[in-house]
Amino acid sequence: MPKNNVVLPPQTIGIIGGGQLGRMMAIAARYMGYKIAVLDPTPDCPTAQVADEQITTAYDDRNGIKKLAEISDVITYEFENVDLDAATYLEQLGKLPQGAYALEVTQNREKEKTVMQDAGLPVPYFHIVSDAGSCEQALDNFTFPAVIKTCSGGYDGKGQLKLESADDIEAACAFVEKNEACIIEQWVPFDREISVVFTRAQSGEMAFFPIAENDHKDHILYQTTVPANISETVQTKAIDATKKLAEKMNIVGTFAIEMFVNGDNIFLNEMAPRPHNSGHYTIEACNISQFGQHIRAVCGLELTPVSLLKCAAMVNILGEDLEPTLTQMPGLTDGIVHLYGKDGVKPKRKMGHVTFIGNSVKEITDMAEAYEEAKQ
């Protein structure tokens, strides 16, 4: 990277991963005047549609990674399952300011929970198991319900199983035999789930986006509402916990932490070392988006102070929602529709999102409800 780690337009930003997050990073960077290169095995992936060049190869292909490094002045990623050897190589070249450590932690739920715990942050009780015997023994120390998850992989509810009672122990043992290393977590009763999305600069400067409240359907994020309906106590605890974790992990770029809220208590759940689905509302509702702020951070620019301009509700458009949304689109004046350019429509696949902005939470909630009713 150039002196002082500052990358300026029209230099090239390389992105590993060509999905919707990379696409929205690329669009933000385009507005600023940067060029974009993307590495992704799928030809004409969503990011490639707005990039200058695509390297069409596997994520762990060393020749592809070397080529990306050659043509890029700085490199970032849009998902956490980046090959760690490739990430370490790019970090050693001085091209990956986010480093490999955040990827190493977030790729493994055991490491993720351990780092949180070591930072003195509240997490649900957990235990690591590797076979049916250790699973059955560990569950003697849990009260039900609980949840068992694979230590690596899994998203949007995949790679996990809720255990409602002792009757589910046999299913849990079968799950761990199939998946090997797994984590069992105590089920935390909660009033709501929130996301803390923030950006940390290479200097250590941090900027927080307004805390978002999340609603899920079938384990997939359905709607994010901002501002979240939380107390000042919860907000302070969430921000303080985030600062501790960000500094402990030396985060660079936009990062998200999902938390459960129970009364005035929080429990950290999962984290993502990149922009997050629950931060999409920032494109319309804030003076700078999570993507624009991410580009500033990885390029060594100072962060923009964040302001919430309007209340917002972001609703995901899944495969089954695409046709009803397109039918509504000619008259959908309240919502801003984003479609990701994916080539295959599948149920539960994220095809886009629509954001409603207004002067109050009630106003945007009414808009989102009207949109949902019109899809039926």
Side-chain angles (χ1 to χ4, degrees), residues 223 225-227 309-313 333-335 355-371:
Q223 180 172 321
T225 305
V226 178
L309 306 177
K310 291 275 189 177
C311 300
T333 56
D334 291 332
T355 304
F356 302 92
I357 57 173
N359 296 316
S360 69
V361 170
K362 183 182 186 309
E363 183 180 356
I364 57 171
T365 301
D366 288 346
M367 291 176 186
E369 289 176 355
Y371 160 74

Side-chain angles (χ1 to χ4, degrees), residues 140-177:
D140 286 341
N141 297 315
F142 280 83
T143 56
F144 293 96
V147 62
I148 186 168
K149 305 175 183 178
T150 56
C151 277
S152 59
Y155 62 95
D156 289 343
K158 299 177 178 68
Q160 63 180 266
L161 178 68
K162 187 177 181 183
L163 311 176
E164 299 283 1
S165 69
D167 294 339
D168 294 323
I169 291 177
E170 185 177 344
C173 291
F175 183 91
V176 72
E177 286 290 338

Side-chain angles (χ1 to χ4, degrees), residues 123-355:
V123 296
Y125 172 70
F126 68 92
H127 195 91
I128 305 301
V129 296
S130 57
D131 53 37
S134 61
C135 177
E136 191 168 1
Q137 186 175 7
L139 284 171
D140 286 341
N141 297 315
F142 280 83
T143 56
F144 293 96
V147 62
I148 186 168
K149 305 175 183 178
T150 56
C151 277
S152 59
Y155 62 95
D156 289 343
K158 299 177 178 68
Q160 63 180 266
L161 178 68
K162 187 177 181 183
L163 311 176
E164 299 283 1
S165 69
D167 294 339
D168 294 323
I169 291 177
E170 185 177 344
C173 291
F175 183 91
V176 72
E177 286 290 338
K178 178 183 176 183
N179 294 290
E180 297 181 343
C182 291
I183 182 170
I184 304 175
E185 297 177 16
Q186 191 66 59
W187 188 267
V188 176
F190 60 94
D191 304 319
R192 53 187 47 83
E193 183 194 279
I194 60 173
S195 290
V196 181
V197 179
F198 67 95
T199 310
R200 189 169 183 267
Q202 296 176 41
S203 65
E205 170 196 10
M206 292 181 68
F208 287 84
F209 292 96
I211 294 176
E213 183 171 341
N214 299 325
D215 292 308
H216 291 77
K217 287 185 178 179
D218 300 324
H219 302 289
I220 301 172
L221 180 64
Y222 163 68
Q223 180 172 321
T224 295
T225 305
V226 178
N229 181 21
I230 55 174
S231 67
E232 287 187 18
T233 299
V234 167
Q235 176 153 320
T236 299
K237 286 182 177 181
I239 296 295
D240 288 348
T242 299
K243 287 178 179 177
K244 283 183 183 178
L245 197 58
E247 289 167 8
K248 181 178 178 64
M249 294 179 65
N250 194 27
I251 297 303
V252 172
T254 294
F255 196 97
I257 306 175
E258 295 174 329
M259 305 181 187
F260 297 126
V261 178
N262 186 347
D264 276 341
N265 296 314
I266 60 168
F267 294 89
L268 278 66
N269 181 28
E270 294 179 344
M271 48 187 173
R274 36 79 181 167
H276 193 260
N277 193 175
S278 63
H280 292 350
Y281 78 90
T282 60
I283 297 172
E284 281 84 25
C286 294
N287 61 316
I288 185 167
S289 74
Q290 62 168 343
F291 303 101
Q293 198 81 291
H294 180 73
I295 295 300
R296 294 189 67 84
V298 298
C299 289
L301 312 182
E302 291 185 12
L303 303 182
T304 298
V306 175
S307 298
L308 181 67
L309 306 177
K310 291 275 189 177
C311 300
M314 186 284 305
V315 181
N316 273 328
I317 300 171
L318 304 182
E320 59 269 33
D321 304 319
L322 183 58
E323 193 60 39
T325 300
L326 291 173
T327 300
Q328 282 193 67
M329 199 167 174
L332 188 62
T333 56
D334 291 332
I336 300 96
V337 177
H338 296 253
L339 297 178
Y340 302 148
K342 295 183 178 180
D343 61 354
V345 180
K346 300 175 184 176
K348 308 304 177 190
R349 188 183 193 196
K350 293 172 184 173
M351 305 302 297
H353 70 269
V354 55
T355 304

